Amino acid sequence: MTPPVEDRLLDVAEAAKILCTSPDYLYRHWEKYPFAEKLSPKQLRFSYVGISLPDTFSTLRHMINSLNQMAFIFFPAEHDVQVGSLYTPP
């Protein structure tokens, strides 16, 4: 039996490092993360356990959405590139 993991609240800078994103992104999109808590208008915190042990399905869905958004940066919109599809140049 594994010992229980103690949770602690991380500030935005600590959470951004673990999530490999910028603090600015977390401030703008904190509501997407179920492990985020807004303690006051200027205090945003993230659960360490929530970041470390996220729900697998929602994490994969978030990663796929992010990859799809990046695909549109690299390919023109008229090609309608989706992650997992094969891209053939025109």
Side-chain angles (χ1 to χ4, degrees), residues 39-68:
L39 303 177
S40 72
K42 293 187 177 187
Q43 284 192 329
L44 181 60
R45 298 292 183 263
F46 294 83
S47 162
Y48 177 74
V49 171
I51 290 174
S52 302
L53 306 170
D55 174 51
T56 304
F57 178 74
S58 64
T59 301
L60 290 174
R61 183 179 42 174
H62 178 70
M63 289 171 55
I64 289 170
N65 288 340
S66 296
L67 289 171
N68 280 329

Side-chain angles (χ1 to χ4, degrees), residues 14-81:
E14 293 171 314
K17 286 180 186 177
I18 294 171
L19 293 169
C20 299
T21 189
S22 70
D24 184 55
Y25 178 86
L26 289 180
Y27 278 116
R28 288 183 285 125
H29 301 283
W30 70 271
E31 292 172 327
K32 292 181 180 181
Y33 297 98
F35 46 82
E37 289 184 49
K38 190 128 186 171
L39 303 177
S40 72
K42 293 187 177 187
Q43 284 192 329
L44 181 60
R45 298 292 183 263
F46 294 83
S47 162
Y48 177 74
V49 171
I51 290 174
S52 302
L53 306 170
D55 174 51
T56 304
F57 178 74
S58 64
T59 301
L60 290 174
R61 183 179 42 174
H62 178 70
M63 289 171 55
I64 289 170
N65 288 340
S66 296
L67 289 171
N68 280 329
Q69 289 172 1
M70 287 191 303
F72 289 113
I73 293 171
F74 295 110
F75 302 105
E78 65 266 11
H79 295 298
D80 194 27
V81 176

